[in-house]
């Protein structure tokens, strides 16, 4: 019996072995027809591979039946990738391949034969690419909104969060160059029109060593270039069609896009080669879904830019939200090995969105930027002007088949102004009301007219006395960046080394004044004017010139299906002369231990001090079965602190003297993220892919606030609020994404993620509140972070009909596309309020915040659901295409919560109980005269309701 069992096992093994397929063939030079020796042949997603022999022949055995991608690569020749290659049981498939010679490196010229792979199954990064086709099909009004459909990305009222990180932790790049304003804290950077974008690469895990100052993820937008033929496009979208003006779904929005590009004969006689250009202009105007715009916005930065028709109204601000952006780009190809790119991008945003200026999410509450306090007098609210300019020059040169390098130089110039809707920063004479407090004006209504002591009913709770916005702010950043990188391939093409450097010089100026009219001259009875030397109620002024940069190297090794990336990034940071001088100045308000720590933790470089940080990065992918690859990522990354946390108040002659005023910490260090990722990529078929990823992020040295005693210029000790590296946070989660393609007519993705983001505080100002209330920090335990959104489910599909005879043979059912996306997401985090009892006089129920520190942000509001769609029908007339689109966002008109009523866990609705510090419309109380007791009817308490554009 044992002999028979052994014989059966041997027979079964031989049968299984016989069922495996074989791939063989001969590889030749496409031009000369000679055979090529040593060509690498890989079946991607497996450990199977071979190299061609002396006669150019190769053979790969024991291939399990299935569908694969076969890759042929050889130094000096184009890389060929064949997709959708099917192997049957026992089949011997012959693939004789011709490779054309190239002067480029191995990854610069790739020929894909068959359908483009849905995912790069061997890539160890977690990255998705949003093509221009998807961007064009989606109902996109701003580029960042398309990110909301990507796995692990959540967009809310404050910005974009990737894998539970803060909005400022994401790195936003345009053509590989950082496009963020380091002072605004708004995250996304420069606005771009959708017609200016070629594709967007979203990396949520395992970003390369060339990217720095980003701890959550990297969004790299690659702009469009001119093609081989001249092309021009124009589009106009609007929701106000006259008869739709008063519809709830009409926000009085208009979008204009213009693009033009192609080859040009400019310099043709002077320089050989190909010169192509592309230019785009995008104008986006809207009165927003609140529909309570100011009569007219004015920007003091563009006060001379008037409408050429009316002559007395600003040309740049016809609506409440005004976004202008444009791009001009030239690509010059001397030859396939030498390429030059020059581009200029400019964006001007003018609106009253308070989130235009956010100190990296730490100093503004987590809510929409609508200035509800000024709803009764929106002309007196803060107007924000953000002017951003990015100029880039890139040179790429392939010196041989084994080596190429790239050098880029860029200049980013950003100017942001916040003022009281274009008014001068300070009045010449204080001769009117400027403080925008809510007051009770005649005639008044009495609360208890029959009592001995009479009270009057409160004012509206909103600014109504003609007062103006209390903030005047101006900052600029001029940032020069030089990047250089090189790529070297080994002779057998199995090893690739990337190395490079980055140098960034910044010139930053910050002016921040609260209530700037304080200190201005007052008219006296004598007819003269008083004069003080006070610069507003609070003020902060500094100019600094820090330097930062990095050296990086990464080695890619490929062996028997295993692909490993081992790299490191050495970052350096020079806070600048401003800090170095302050540390040496004994009169500067810096404690001695902080001075000593700064000297101990920095290295002298000439007459400057520099900080260093080594950031290791390791990733690998390896097949565990056919077309199924496991990948692993481990990496360190950092995010520099906001400059205000470092430089504020260090000049002893310009120090704010108010109680617990802010003071910079010259020895503040970058926040650190250590991330781990383990994932599984499955190429089920050439049209089906499944990705599963688990991740864990530990975040150290988060910035928080503490109170310290320092000596002021008089020598006495005073309290100051200083930022320190103390907080800790972590994020852990699981992501699943399934991608499906059916021919040319269907493309879609469904994904979901579950994650938990917790930490010691959601912002550096949280601990400040505890300091002000109790004098110390109460708890160091982890609680959910304010932006934590555990469950995030999303899907999008694109249906396209472009056939010769149309659907069902009907020509009318042709040349059309339908895009549909759906997002379901758990609600916003909030700290619950507890019922205490009823007020004796009015009977109003009293709700006070749960004081247990462990219950901070412990509750989730009602979940949100969005359904968006875009239908497009086009006609072709000779060389011209005309298209009509109808796009609708929030089709079901769901009231998704943006501002949570912490008593009910949803946005306020009529009759709901509210916290004690809110104004309750059901119980009018004279004590609501306090200006912070606002009515709960903020229209921004909901996310955008149904909106359509054609």
């Amino acid at each position: 019996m044992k002999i028979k069992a052994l014989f059966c096992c041997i027979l079964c093994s031989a049968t299984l072995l016989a069922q495996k397929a074989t791939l063989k063939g001969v590889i030749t030079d496409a031009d000369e027809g000679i055979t090529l020796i040593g060509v690498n042949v890989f079946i991607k997603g497996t450990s199977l591979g071979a190299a061609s022999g002396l006669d150019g022949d190769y053979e790969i055995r024991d291939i399990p039946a299935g569908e694969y991608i076969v890759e042929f690569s050889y130094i000096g020749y184009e890389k060929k990738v064949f997709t959708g290659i099917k192997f049957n049981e026992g089949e011997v498939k012959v693939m004789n391949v011709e490779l054309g010679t190239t002067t480029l490196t191995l990854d610069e010229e790739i020929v894909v034969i068959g359908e483009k792979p849905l995912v790069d199954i061997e890539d160890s990064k977690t990255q998705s690419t949003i093509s221009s086709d998807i961007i064009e099909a989606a109902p996109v009004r701003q580029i960042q909104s398309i990110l909301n459909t990507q796995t692990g990305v959540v967009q809310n009222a404050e910005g974009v969060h990737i894998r539970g990180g803060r909005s400022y932790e994401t790195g936003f790049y345009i053509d590989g160059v950082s496009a963020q304003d380091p002072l605004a804290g708004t995250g996304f950077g420069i606005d771009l029109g959708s017609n200016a974008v070629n594709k967007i690469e979203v990396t949520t895990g395992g970003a390369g060593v060339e990217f720095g100052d980003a701890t959550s993820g990297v969004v790299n937008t690659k702009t469009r270039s001119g093609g081989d033929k001249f092309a021009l496009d124009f589009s106009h979208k609007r929701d106000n069609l006259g008869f739709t003006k008063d519809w709830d779904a009409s926000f009085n929005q208009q979008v204009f896009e213009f693009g033009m590009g192609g080859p040009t004969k400019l310099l043709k006689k002077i320089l050989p080669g190909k010169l192509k250009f592309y230019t785009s202009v995008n104008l986006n105007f809207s009165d927003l879904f609140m529909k309570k715009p100011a009569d007219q916005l004015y920007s003091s930065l563009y006060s001379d830019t008037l409408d050429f028709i009316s002559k007395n109204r600003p040309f740049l601000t016809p609506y409440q939200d005004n976004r202008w952006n444009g791009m001009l780009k030239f690509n010059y190809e001397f030859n396939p090995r030498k390429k030059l790119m020059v581009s200029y991008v400019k964006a001007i945003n003018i609106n009253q969105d308070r989130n235009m200026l956010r100190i990296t999410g730490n100093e503004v509450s987590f809510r929409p930027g609508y200035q509800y306090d000024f709803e009764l007098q929106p002309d007196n609210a803060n107007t924000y002007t953000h002017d951003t300019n990015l100029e880039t020059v890139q040179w790429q040169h392939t010196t041989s088949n084994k080596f190429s390098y790239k050098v880029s130089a860029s200049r980013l110039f950003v100017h942001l102004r916040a003022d009281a809707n274009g008014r001068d920063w300070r009045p010449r004479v204080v001769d009117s009301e400027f403080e925008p407090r809510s007051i009770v004006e005649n005639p008044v209504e009495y609360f208890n007219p029959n009592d001995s002591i009479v009270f009057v009913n409160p004012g509206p709770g909103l600014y109504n006395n003609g007062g103006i916005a209390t903030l005047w702010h101006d900052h600029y950043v001029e940032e020069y960046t030089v990047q250089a990188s090189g790529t070297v391939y080994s002779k057998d093409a199995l090893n690739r080394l990337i190395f490079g450097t980055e140098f960034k010089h910044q010139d930053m100026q910050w002016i921040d004044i609260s209530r700037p009219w304080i200190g201005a001259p007052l008219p006296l009875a004598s007819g003269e004017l008083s004069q003080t030397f006070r610069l507003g109620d609070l003020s902060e002024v500094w100019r600094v010139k820090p330097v930062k940069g990095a050296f990086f190297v990464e080695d890619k090794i490929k062996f028997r299906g295993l692909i490993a990336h081992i790299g490191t990034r050495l970052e350096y940071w020079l806070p600048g002369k401003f800090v170095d001088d302050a540390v040496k100045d004994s009169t500067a308000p810096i404690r001695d231990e902080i001075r000593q720590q700064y000297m101990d933790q920095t290295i002298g470089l000439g007459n400057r001090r520099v900080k260093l940080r080594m950031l290791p990065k390791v990733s690998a992918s390896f097949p565990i079965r056919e077309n199924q690859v496991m990948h692993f990522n481990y990496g360190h990354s950092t995010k520099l602190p906001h400059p205000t946390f470092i430089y504020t108040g260090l000049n002893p002659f310009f120090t704010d003297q108010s109680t617990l005023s802010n003071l910079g910490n010259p020895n503040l260090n970058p926040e650190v993220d250590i991330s781990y990722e383990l994932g599984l990529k499955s190429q089920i078929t050439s049209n089906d892919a499944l990705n599963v990823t688990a991740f864990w992020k530990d975040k150290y040295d988060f910035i928080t606030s503490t109170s310290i005693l320092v000596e002021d210029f008089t020598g006495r000790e005073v309290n100051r609020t200083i930022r320190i590296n103390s907080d800790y946070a972590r994020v852990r989660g699981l992501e699943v994404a399934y991608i499906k393609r059916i021919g040319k007519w269907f493309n879609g993705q469904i994904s979901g993620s579950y994650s938990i983001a917790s930490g010691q505080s959601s912002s550096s100002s949280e601990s400040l509140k505890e300091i002000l209330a109790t004098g110390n920090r109460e708890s160091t335990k982890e609680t959910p972070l304010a932006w934590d959104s555990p469950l995030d489910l999303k899907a999008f599909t694109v249906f396209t009909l472009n056939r010769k005879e149309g659907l069902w043979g009907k020509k009318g059912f042709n040349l059309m596309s339908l895009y549909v996306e759906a997002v379901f997401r758990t609600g916003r985090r909030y700290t619950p309020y507890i019922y205490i009892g009823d007020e004796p006089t009015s009977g109003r129920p009293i709700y006070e915040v749960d004081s247990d520190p462990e219950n901070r942000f412990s509750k989730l509001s009602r979940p949100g659901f969005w359904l968006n769609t875009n239908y497009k029908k086009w006609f072709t007339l000779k060389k011209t295409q005309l298209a009509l689109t109808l796009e609708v966002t929030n089709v079901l008109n769901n009231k998704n919560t943006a501002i949570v009523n912490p008593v009910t866990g949803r946005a306020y609705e009529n009759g709901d109980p509210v916290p004690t510090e809110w104004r309750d419309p059901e119980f009018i109380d004279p004590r609501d005269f306090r200006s912070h007791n606002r009515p709960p009817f903020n229209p921004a308490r909901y996310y955008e309701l149904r909106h359509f554009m054609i």
Side-chain angles (χ1 to χ4, degrees):
M1 292 294 295
K2 291 182 179 180
I3 295 175
K4 288 183 178 180
L6 179 61
F7 177 77
C8 289
C9 289
I10 295 173
L11 183 61
C12 290
S13 300
T15 303
L16 290 173
L17 185 62
Q19 291 177 344
K20 298 291 182 70
T22 299
L23 173 66
K24 66 179 182 178
V26 177
I27 306 171
T28 56
D29 184 301
D31 298 323
E32 300 183 5
I34 61 175
T35 57
L36 298 177
I37 306 171
V39 176
N40 293 311
V41 185
F42 293 107
I43 299 180
K44 300 189 73 171
T46 73
S47 59
L48 302 174
S52 59
L54 295 176
D55 297 324
D57 56 328
Y58 70 93
E59 185 177 53
I60 303 175
R61 298 181 179 180
D62 301 332
I63 305 173
E67 187 175 313
Y68 300 94
I69 298 173
V70 184
E71 178 185 280
F72 297 81
S73 61
Y74 192 47
I75 291 291
Y77 288 81
E78 63 191 7
K79 179 189 288 187
K80 275 195 174 181
V81 178
F82 295 82
T83 64
I85 303 301
K86 295 181 179 179
F87 291 90
N88 300 316
E89 293 181 357
E91 178 186 10
V92 177
K93 186 178 291 290
V94 177
M95 289 183 65
N96 297 322
V97 177
E98 295 181 341
L99 297 181
T101 59
T102 180
T103 56
L104 304 176
T105 59
L106 197 61
D107 292 320
E108 288 181 313
E109 187 168 353
I110 302 176
V111 179
V112 178
I113 300 174
E115 293 285 351
K116 183 180 178 181
L118 293 175
V119 295
D120 186 350
I121 198 170
E122 295 181 340
D123 191 359
S124 57
K125 299 191 296 292
T126 300
Q127 183 182 78
S128 59
T129 300
I130 310 171
S131 66
S132 58
D133 294 338
I134 297 295
I135 296 172
E136 182 180 350
V140 176
R141 287 84 189 263
Q142 290 179 257
I143 289 298
Q144 54 264 48
S145 63
I146 195 67
L147 302 178
N148 201 38
T149 62
Q150 303 305 298
T151 312
V153 181
V154 172
Q155 185 188 25
N156 57 26
E158 297 83 52
V160 174
H161 301 267
I162 293 182
R163 284 188 171 177
R166 307 181 189 212
S167 60
Y168 67 86
E169 294 178 29
T170 302
F172 290 95
Y173 291 77
I174 294 179
D175 292 327
V177 176
S178 177
Q180 286 178 288
D181 180 349
L183 293 179
T186 51
F188 194 76
I190 300 179
D191 272 349
L192 276 177
S194 60
N195 62 338
V197 177
N198 181 39
K199 63 180 178 180
I200 302 175
E201 296 175 344
V202 184
T203 305
T204 57
V209 292
E210 66 272 24
F211 296 107
D213 204 25
T215 51
S216 282
V218 172
V219 178
N220 186 20
T221 301
K222 296 193 175 182
T223 57
R224 184 173 167 183
S225 299
D228 294 327
K229 295 182 179 181
F230 178 80
L232 182 146
D233 61 85
F234 173 79
S235 69
H236 177 214
K237 301 177 185 179
R238 66 183 302 143
D239 57 9
N240 185 352
L241 307 178
F243 65 91
T244 65
K245 180 179 180 180
D246 297 325
W247 289 11
D248 291 338
S250 174
F251 306 160
N252 199 24
Q253 183 169 7
Q254 295 195 70
V255 179
F256 300 87
E257 286 190 337
F258 170 81
M260 180 174 63
T264 177
K265 296 181 179 180
L266 183 65
L267 301 179
K268 183 69 175 180
K269 296 181 179 180
I270 302 175
L271 295 173
K274 298 178 181 179
L275 178 63
K276 300 176 183 178
F277 80 100
Y278 186 78
T279 184
S280 70
V281 176
N282 177 274
L283 313 178
N284 192 332
F285 307 116
S286 175
D287 281 335
L288 305 176
F289 69 96
M290 284 77 71
K291 294 186 177 181
K292 297 185 178 180
D295 289 336
Q296 180 68 53
L297 294 189
Y298 296 88
S299 167
S300 54
L301 288 182
Y302 290 96
S303 58
D304 297 330
T305 310
L306 299 179
D307 191 324
F308 62 89
I309 297 176
S310 64
K311 299 296 185 183
N312 60 355
R313 294 173 68 86
F315 172 67
L316 292 178
T317 55
Y319 294 82
Q320 181 70 8
D321 184 48
N322 309 274
R323 299 175 181 271
W324 303 69
N325 62 75
M327 181 189 76
L328 177 61
K329 181 178 180 181
F330 290 96
N331 292 85
Y332 186 76
E333 186 177 295
F334 293 85
N335 57 54
R337 303 176 66 168
K338 296 179 181 179
K339 300 176 182 179
L340 178 68
M341 186 273 283
V342 180
S343 68
Y344 174 61
V345 180
K346 183 178 180 67
I348 302 174
N349 297 341
I350 305 175
N351 55 41
Q352 291 187 329
D353 183 356
R354 187 167 46 190
N355 282 330
M356 292 288 288
L357 175 65
R358 302 176 67 238
I359 314 293
T360 62
N362 285 281
E363 303 310 309
V364 177
S365 57
F366 301 96
R367 60 176 54 206
Y370 176 62
Q371 297 179 63
Y372 177 49
D373 290 339
F374 282 94
E375 186 172 271
L376 300 180
Q377 47 183 44
D379 284 348
N380 290 359
N382 267 129
T383 293
Y384 297 86
T385 305
H386 203 190
D387 186 350
T388 313
N389 306 265
L390 178 64
E391 299 122 46
T392 306
V393 178
Q394 290 185 349
W395 168 255
Q396 186 173 346
H397 184 197
T398 302
T399 61
S400 69
N401 300 127
K402 297 180 182 179
F403 178 73
S404 68
Y405 69 91
K406 182 170 66 175
V407 179
S408 69
S410 64
R411 173 184 177 268
L412 174 69
F413 182 79
V414 179
H415 193 179
L416 188 144
R417 170 76 57 83
D419 53 38
N421 200 16
R423 293 175 173 85
D424 289 338
W425 77 274
R426 185 181 180 105
R428 295 183 179 180
V429 179
V430 179
D431 56 1
S432 63
E433 179 67 56
F434 289 101
E435 179 63 45
R437 291 174 298 179
S438 178
I439 62 175
V440 180
E441 298 179 341
N442 285 321
V444 299
E445 295 181 5
Y446 295 102
F447 176 73
N448 53 342
N450 298 322
D451 292 352
S452 57
I453 300 177
V454 177
F455 294 92
V456 297
N457 284 331
L462 304 173
Y463 300 152
N464 69 331
N465 66 334
I468 62 174
T470 60
L471 172 67
W472 192 92
H473 175 92
D474 186 277
H475 78 244
Y476 76 78
V477 179
E478 189 169 27
E479 180 177 278
Y480 290 92
T481 304
V482 177
Q483 298 171 316
S485 63
T487 304
V488 182
Y489 291 85
S490 64
K491 186 176 181 179
D492 59 5
L494 298 179
N495 187 279
R496 185 192 68 189
L497 182 69
I498 297 176
F499 59 92
T501 183
E502 178 184 67
F503 173 84
K504 193 183 298 285
H505 179 273
Q506 297 174 319
D507 183 356
M508 300 188 290
Q509 178 175 284
W510 178 275
I511 304 173
D512 200 78
I513 305 173
S514 174
R515 293 176 171 82
W517 56 83
I518 296 179
L522 291 167
L524 302 177
S526 62
E528 298 179 349
L529 297 176
S530 68
Q531 181 63 55
T532 69
F533 296 98
R534 187 169 180 179
L535 188 62
D537 185 22
L538 303 173
S539 62
E540 183 180 332
V541 181
W542 43 259
R543 182 182 177 186
V544 296
K545 296 182 179 181
V547 171
K548 60 181 179 179
F551 299 95
F552 53 86
V553 62
E554 180 186 85
D555 194 15
K556 176 183 177 182
I557 304 168
K558 190 170 184 177
F559 177 74
R560 292 184 179 273
L562 170 68
I563 301 176
H565 298 257
I566 303 173
T568 187
R569 180 181 174 91
L570 175 63
E571 294 189 336
Y572 60 87
W573 174 38
L574 290 78
K577 184 177 184 297
F578 185 89
V579 166
D580 293 343
D581 290 348
V583 170
K584 297 174 184 176
D585 186 354
S586 60
T587 63
I590 303 173
R591 291 183 64 95
D592 290 339
E593 59 267 33
I594 295 179
R595 297 178 195 269
Q596 189 60 47
Q597 290 171 0
Y598 181 79
M599 298 303 294
D600 293 342
Q601 297 176 17
T602 57
I603 299 172
L605 184 65
N607 57 354
R608 297 275 76 84
R609 307 295 297 182
V610 60
K611 292 191 174 187
L612 300 174
R613 183 90 187 200
M614 186 70 76
L615 306 174
K617 296 178 183 290
V618 178
S619 62
S621 65
F622 48 92
I624 57 174
R625 56 176 297 177
E626 295 75 27
N627 282 329
Q628 195 171 73
V629 172
M630 181 172 286
H631 64 93
F632 167 78
N633 270 305
Y634 166 77
H636 291 216
S637 56
T638 62
K639 182 68 180 182
L640 288 174
H642 193 277
T644 58
F645 298 160
I646 302 168
Y647 303 111
T648 297
L650 296 187
N651 189 328
F653 299 103
F654 298 98
T655 301
D656 180 15
Q657 302 299 321
S658 59
T659 303
L660 277 179
S661 61
N662 291 331
L663 180 65
N665 181 358
N667 196 45
L668 200 62
N669 291 315
E671 296 176 340
V672 179
D673 179 281
I674 302 177
S675 61
Y676 310 82
E677 180 183 85
L678 184 64
L680 194 66
K681 294 184 179 182
S682 301
Q683 184 77 45
I684 302 171
T685 70
S686 59
N687 293 311
D688 298 84
L690 177 67
N691 297 331
V692 181
T693 306
F695 63 89
W696 182 289
K697 288 172 170 280
D698 289 320
K699 296 176 178 289
Y700 300 96
D701 287 344
F702 260 180
I703 296 170
T704 186
S705 302
T706 190
S707 176
I708 65 170
L709 291 173
V710 297
E711 289 187 1
D712 66 6
F713 66 98
T714 65
R716 65 187 179 94
E717 287 194 333
V718 293
N719 270 318
R720 292 290 180 264
T721 300
I722 193 172
R723 301 303 197 270
I724 59 173
N725 298 104
S726 175
D727 272 2
Y728 165 79
R730 57 179 173 169
V731 187
R732 53 274 192 209
L734 178 68
E735 299 172 347
V736 180
Y738 173 68
I739 308 170
K740 177 66 178 179
R741 176 174 58 199
I742 305 176
K744 300 288 186 181
W745 68 273
F746 177 86
N747 187 13
Q749 174 178 308
I750 183 171
S751 64
S753 65
Y754 181 82
S755 64
I756 297 294
S758 60
Q760 290 174 272
S761 67
S762 293
S763 72
S764 65
S765 58
E766 271 189 8
S767 53
L768 177 58
K769 292 178 183 178
E770 295 176 5
I771 293 170
L772 291 171
T774 65
N776 55 53
R777 182 97 182 262
E778 293 182 359
S779 174
T780 59
K781 292 188 176 181
E782 288 183 51
T783 56
L785 299 178
W787 54 88
D788 175 44
S789 183
L791 185 62
D792 186 33
L793 305 176
K794 55 190 66 173
F796 71 88
T797 60
V798 184
F799 301 87
T800 305
L801 280 176
N802 189 0
R803 303 178 178 179
K804 289 184 178 181
E805 298 181 354
L807 187 63
W808 304 305
K810 304 291 185 180
K811 292 185 177 181
F813 291 94
N814 200 19
L815 302 181
M816 63 178 69
S817 67
L818 177 66
Y819 175 95
V820 181
E821 71 179 28
V823 177
F824 174 86
R825 183 174 296 146
T826 47
R828 306 204 58 155
R829 287 282 181 184
Y830 69 96
T831 303
Y833 274 57
I834 302 174
Y835 173 71
I836 302 299
D838 293 337
E839 191 178 62
T841 56
S842 66
R844 173 183 172 176
I846 303 301
Y847 293 89
E848 295 183 356
V849 67
D850 189 339
S851 59
D852 186 347
E854 296 189 18
N855 289 334
R856 183 170 53 197
F857 295 116
S858 61
K859 297 292 186 179
L860 286 163
S861 71
R862 178 184 294 176
F865 180 74
W866 293 262
L867 180 66
N868 307 320
T869 185
N870 185 23
Y871 170 78
K872 178 181 178 181
K873 170 68 177 176
W874 68 91
F875 310 89
T876 301
L877 304 173
K878 295 184 178 181
K879 295 183 178 181
T880 302
Q881 184 184 97
L882 303 177
L884 175 68
T885 65
L886 171 62
E887 58 183 54
V888 186
T889 55
N890 196 0
V891 174
L892 302 180
N893 205 32
N894 287 335
K895 290 184 175 181
N896 298 310
T897 299
I899 300 176
V900 184
N901 177 356
V903 174
T904 62
R906 65 182 183 187
Y908 174 82
E909 296 182 7
N910 291 338
D912 284 350
V914 296
T916 303
E917 60 267 25
W918 288 25
R919 175 170 298 196
D920 192 338
E922 304 295 318
F923 297 89
I924 300 177
D925 192 322
R927 287 167 293 186
D928 285 332
F929 173 72
R930 295 171 293 184
S931 61
H932 64 271
N933 280 21
R934 305 176 186 90
F937 302 115
N938 188 341
R941 65 188 185 273
Y942 303 113
Y943 282 104
E944 188 176 286
L945 298 177
R946 182 190 294 125
H947 185 209
F948 83 97
M949 294 187 76
I950 70 167

